[in-house]
Amino acid sequence: MCMRLENPLLNVQDLHAHYGKSHILRGVEFHVGKGEVVSLLGRNGSGRSTTLKAVMGLVPPTSGHIKLDGCDLTGARPYTVCRAGIAYVPEEREVFTNLTVDENLRMGEQPAHDGESKWTFDQMFEYFPRLKERRNTRAGNLSGGEQQMLTICRSLLGNPKLLLIDEPTEGLAPKVVTVVGEVIQDIHQRGVSIVLVEQKLAIALKVSTHVCVMGHGQIVFEGKPDELGNNQELLKEWLAV
Amino acid sequence: MEYYVVSLLNGTIYGLLLFMVSAGLTLIFGMMGVLNFAHASFYMVGAYLAYTLQKLLGFWPALVLSTLLVGVIGALVERYFLRRVHKFGHAHELLLTFGISFIIAELIKLIYGNFPVDYRIPKSLDFSAFTIFGASYPAYRLLMGSIALAMFALIYLLLTRTRVGIVVRSAIYKPKMAEALGHNVPMVFMGVFSAGAALAGLAGAVAGAFYTTNPNMALELGIMVFVVVVVGGLGSLEGAMLASLLIGLITSYSVGIDRSLADLCALFGARAWAEGVGGLMTLKISSLAATIPFAFMLIILLVRPSGLLGEKE
């Protein structure tokens, strides 16, 4: 654990956020080291999605700190956060249905950070050949699975250091779920750090290097995937439906 | 015959002028959803600025400079006024821009006086393009039409073929997601607003020399451009073009029709009855000319609420 704290890529400290009067995040603290995949687990309403949105600057934090590579991003606008190196795959997918697949991908393009390799359109089409076939189709005419592929590719083309992915497998056919899981692992192997919010425990445990369990707007457990997988009490208290 | 051809020409040119002003409003109101009542005021400011500047710089430099200056004014209005009230909704935008349009009109009256100024077509452009039915047709009308067409082509290509266009279209559609992908959306909005204002300014600079440049010109055109944007369909550039031409032609033709509903009734032998009823039945179409576009809008809204080519309701 201590090794992780020395040089974290993302450092979230005592993060609070409100929706109107309801206090959603109540002091969230976690770290993501370079090359790690950290899963945020928990029941609906535990604050996982809001944590991602707050890191991305889409929900203004009421207090606390968010740092990327030591650079303070607390309260920064989303485009600043993106340019600093964080990309976001929202749960709602949010593809631009009025644009074609190709135009959606071009929307995601950002220059690579110094000394890092750049993601290309060809790599995207290697992951998901289906997107290449549908390049000139309006994104609104894609299936849910295709939209999810598009959203992942769109954010990768921003050449992020850290990728925030919210429920990537929700509502997808089992076959597509497997593909998305493999792509996430491959992205990780190419050196991109990931924060994953995932409902399916099996996938989360498989792809993660660390897991955080959230409850009532706080992190209630942090550890290795197998530590969580073997702890029936913890699973029952915070994750069982 | 003469009436039909000349009305067709004049109606088309007037339609193209309407398009020049409403193109900007299509971007601002139709796409961004900002209710900007002061849009036609930018048109007026463009005309007055061009009038002042052409005395110092000549016609063409004045045209360019006044367009740019109106663009700057537009950017300032967006940045320091509209951006602050946007989150409160359309009522606030309407009130704010209504106020701005009054301030602009009063400033113009204060500076230039409450009467038309002597803004004329430069001598070098004041010649006839061709002769039609013994009357010469001014080349300047054709120039106005060409500028409008060039503007249409330019905006269309910019929006559909360039990265800037892609960013604008997605920022308007899903501002938060566009921002999360690293695009400075507030800046994009300011840019679009400024470009829309500049287009209106250019239209004013061009048309002010041909029609009259007076402190009421914004009011005269202001409502009509909203009619164009609504009839064409919110956010549809092609729709705005189509609606502008239709309204231009309708206005142009109806001015020359000296008939009334009573004449129609006469076909069925009911003239005496119709004249007995009076009112609307005996009003000549020519005297209704200014109202017809609004009736047209009413019908479109009833039959096709999304406008001729619009997708939004």
Side-chain angles (χ1 to χ4, degrees), chain A residues 35-92:
Chain A
E36 286 186 344
V37 178
V38 175
S39 279
L40 296 181
L41 302 167
R43 293 199 183 95
N44 284 334
S46 57
R48 299 163 304 162
S49 294
T50 309
T51 304
L52 295 193
K53 283 184 181 153
V55 170
M56 200 61 218
L58 291 165
V59 170
T62 22
S63 67
H65 282 287
I66 301 164
K67 283 183 180 170
L68 182 78
D69 255 350
C71 158
D72 194 1
L73 291 175
T74 320
R77 293 210 58 119
Y79 70 88
T80 316
V81 177
C82 172
R83 288 176 191 179
I86 303 183
Y88 174 54
V89 177
E91 186 182 0
E92 305 82 7

Side-chain angles (χ1 to χ4, degrees), chain B residues 233-309:
Chain B
L234 292 185
S236 166
L237 202 63
E238 300 96 315
M241 181 53 114
L242 184 65
S244 302
L245 289 174
L246 276 174
I247 288 173
L249 289 172
I250 290 174
T251 315
S252 160
Y253 276 110
S254 52
V255 171
I257 300 176
D258 266 337
R259 305 258 175 179
S260 63
L261 280 175
D263 293 307
L264 187 69
C265 295
L267 294 175
F268 311 105
R271 174 182 286 278
W273 167 79
E275 282 175 350
V277 173
L280 200 61
M281 301 298 270
T282 51
L283 260 181
K284 285 176 179 161
I285 300 230
S286 53
S287 50
L288 286 170
T291 343
I292 289 176
F294 298 99
F296 183 53
M297 175 171 82
L298 206 67
I299 294 169
I300 292 285
L301 281 178
L302 286 174
V303 180
R304 206 181 139 72
S306 56
L308 292 174
L309 298 179

Side-chain angles (χ1 to χ4, degrees), chain A residues 77 83 94-95 97 106-107, chain B residues 163 170 173 179 182-183:
Chain A
R77 293 210 58 119
R83 288 176 191 179
E94 304 274 357
V95 296
T97 51
R106 287 176 68 191
M107 264 306 280
Chain B
R163 188 173 151 85
S170 35
Y173 179 60
E179 197 168 342
H183 303 281

Side-chain angles (χ1 to χ4, degrees), chain B residues 66-81:
Chain B
S66 52
T67 305
L68 295 177
L69 282 173
V70 176
V72 171
I73 296 173
L76 295 176
V77 166
E78 200 280 337
R79 176 68 185 81
Y80 293 103
F81 295 92

Side-chain angles (χ1 to χ4, degrees), chain A residues 56 58 77-79 82-83 86 88 90 94-99 103 106-110 138 154-155, chain B residues 159-163 166-171 173-186 311:
Chain A
M56 200 61 218
L58 291 165
R77 293 210 58 119
Y79 70 88
C82 172
R83 288 176 191 179
I86 303 183
Y88 174 54
E94 304 274 357
V95 296
F96 302 106
T97 51
N98 55 336
L99 305 183
E103 288 171 330
R106 287 176 68 191
M107 264 306 280
E109 280 184 299
Q110 289 288 335
R138 271 195 178 208
R154 185 179 63 182
S155 51
Chain B
L159 280 178
T160 55
R161 298 291 154 83
T162 66
R163 188 173 151 85
I166 294 174
V167 174
V168 167
R169 277 152 64 212
S170 35
Y173 179 60
K174 285 193 166 144
K176 282 202 160 180
M177 194 59 227
E179 197 168 342
L181 289 170
H183 303 281
N184 188 343
V185 170
E311 287 166 6

Side-chain angles (χ1 to χ4, degrees), chain B residues 124-146:
Chain B
S124 56
L125 292 172
D126 194 7
F127 58 91
S128 100
F130 50 82
T131 312
I132 186 166
F133 303 109
S136 63
Y137 199 79
Y140 195 81
R141 272 184 190 261
L142 297 184
L143 177 77
M144 289 197 296
S146 322

